[in-house]
């Protein structure tokens, strides 16, 4: 599958999975959802890739860093979704990838994109339907972690040519989230109905999206990855409206659009890449050739 298709498939899966998790909140809470999602995803990915613990310390450290960012991101994001509409949470979360796109370029016009994003955040959080302040704060933390994961995930994808690194990262993240999930949900985590729904969430929100995104990060620089994910706030708002009946006021829809447009603009702004076109292109090509197998 082409890299853009992988990225967009991951975006849709993440948002559909996030919408589905709202059915789990009454029984296990946000921390329970994260624990089930990561634990089930870890089992599936470990069975698929059978990662070993052997390896250099740098690779294991990178996998642990990626897993830590995933765990904190999930805990923060689902706490946000429990308090504010899915579209609003996703828009605030997207400030992390936006920052990656912004810092990847070096032109005066970058300030315009930053201002546009700031206007979008103001419209989203201070116009129309009141939004819970704690929910906005949790979504912002999730955005910081998601931006960090893009950078660390890029390094992990370059060091490990298949899904073993992702399996290690998700397993570590699951172990970190386990105490919080048990404290919040207890034995309810083992309820058969809860486990069945959580398995669907894990496949939609973790196994498929992160596999897709990690493969895309092998082929794309983080700046271009930021461009392709720029529609995530709008996708989240639409899925929240269609599947959950979550409405945003007109100014808040304008805020969602402003953040998405700012990210597209910042990502497309040529920066220092113009000085090193050959190097970046060759590194992307070599990464793709290294990771491609006969079954791709």
């Amino acid at each position: 599958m082409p890299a853009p298709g992988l990225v967009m498939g991951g975006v849709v899966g993440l948002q559909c999975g996030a919408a589905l998790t709202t059915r789990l909140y009454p029984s296990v809470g946000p921390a329970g959802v994260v624990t089930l999602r990561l634990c089930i995803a870890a089992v599936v990915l470990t069975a698929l890739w059978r990662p070993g613990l052997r390896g250099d310390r740098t690779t294991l450290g990178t996998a642990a860093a990626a897993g830590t960012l995933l765990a904190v991101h999930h805990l923060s994001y689902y706490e946000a979704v429990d308090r504010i509409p899915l579209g609003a949470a996703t828009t605030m979360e997207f400030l992390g990838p936006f920052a990656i796109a912004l810092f990847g370029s070096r032109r005066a016009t970058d300030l315009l994109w930053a201002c546009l994003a700031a206007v979008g955040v103001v419209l989203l959080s201070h116009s129309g339907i009141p939004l819970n302040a704690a929910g906005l704060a949790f979504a912002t933390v999730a955005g910081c972690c998601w931006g960090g994961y893009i950078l660390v995930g890029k390094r992990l994808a370059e060091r490990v040519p298949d899904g073993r690194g992702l399996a290690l990262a998700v397993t570590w993240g699951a172990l970190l989230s386990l105490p919080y999930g048990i404290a919040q949900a207890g034995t309810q985590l083992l309820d058969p109905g809860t486990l069945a729904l959580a398995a669907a969430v894990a496949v939609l929100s973790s196994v498929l999206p992160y596999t897709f995104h990690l493969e895309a990060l092998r082929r794309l620089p983080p700046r271009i990855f930021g461009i392709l994910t720029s529609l995530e706030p709008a996708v989240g708002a639409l899925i929240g409206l269609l599947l959950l009946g979550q409405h945003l006021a007109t100014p808040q829809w304008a805020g969602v659009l402003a953040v998405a447009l700012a990210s597209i603009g910042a990502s497309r702004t040529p920066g220092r890449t113009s000085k090193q076109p050959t190097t970046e292109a060759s590194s992307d090509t070599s990464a793709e050739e290294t990771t491609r197998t006969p079954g791709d």
Side-chain angles (χ1 to χ4, degrees):
M1 184 183 295
L6 290 170
V7 176
M8 292 310 300
V11 166
V12 174
L14 279 168
Q15 296 306 311
C16 288
L20 194 59
T21 57
T22 57
R23 299 184 182 182
L24 290 171
Y25 289 156
S27 57
V28 297
V33 169
V34 171
T35 297
L36 288 172
R37 170 181 168 178
L38 288 178
C39 286
I40 294 172
V43 170
V44 174
L45 290 170
T46 300
L48 286 174
W49 294 105
R50 300 173 182 266
L53 294 178
R54 295 179 182 179
D56 62 277
R57 293 183 178 179
T58 302
T59 300
L60 293 176
T62 304
T68 301
L69 287 168
L70 281 179
V72 178
H73 167 268
H74 288 9
L75 288 167
S76 302
Y77 181 67
Y78 285 127
E79 289 286 354
V81 172
D82 192 34
R83 292 170 169 82
I84 60 178
L86 181 61
T90 303
T91 301
M92 298 298 294
E93 176 209 27
F94 197 72
L95 292 178
F98 169 74
I100 299 299
L102 186 65
F103 293 140
S105 53
R106 297 288 186 274
R107 292 182 62 174
T109 52
D110 296 342
L111 182 60
L112 296 178
W113 303 126
C115 291
L116 181 59
V119 170
V121 171
V122 171
L123 287 173
L124 182 69
S125 56
H126 296 288
S127 302
I129 301 171
L131 300 178
N132 180 275
L136 292 172
F138 277 120
T140 303
V141 173
C144 294
C145 293
W146 187 232
Y149 174 78
I150 290 175
L151 298 177
V152 176
K154 176 68 173 176
R155 293 182 59 189
L156 183 63
E158 290 171 345
R159 299 191 66 87
V160 184
D162 53 32
R164 289 174 296 164
L166 178 62
L168 286 173
V170 172
T171 299
W172 177 248
L175 291 175
L176 291 178
S177 68
L178 197 58
Y180 299 97
I182 293 175
Q184 188 169 90
T187 57
Q188 189 62 32
L189 293 172
L190 302 178
D191 177 75
T194 299
L195 286 173
L197 186 55
V201 170
V203 172
L204 278 173
S205 295
S206 292
V207 177
L208 293 181
Y210 291 133
T211 299
F212 286 178
H213 283 175
L214 201 64
E215 179 61 27
L217 282 168
R218 290 192 181 97
R219 310 179 193 179
L220 299 170
R223 191 173 65 85
I224 304 302
F225 185 87
I227 295 175
L228 296 173
T229 55
S230 295
L231 291 177
E232 188 168 351
V235 171
L238 286 173
I239 289 177
L241 176 64
L242 296 176
L243 301 185
L244 302 176
Q246 295 177 338
H247 295 272
L248 295 176
T250 300
Q252 291 171 318
W253 277 102
V256 170
L257 181 61
V259 172
L261 290 177
S263 182
I264 292 172
S267 300
R268 290 179 61 86
T269 300
R272 14 176 220 188
T273 54
S274 60
K275 298 179 181 180
Q276 301 173 323
T278 304
T279 303
E280 184 179 61
S282 62
S283 64
D284 292 340
T285 303
S286 62
E288 182 175 356
E289 290 174 349
T290 302
T291 55
R292 182 176 292 152
T293 63
D296 285 346

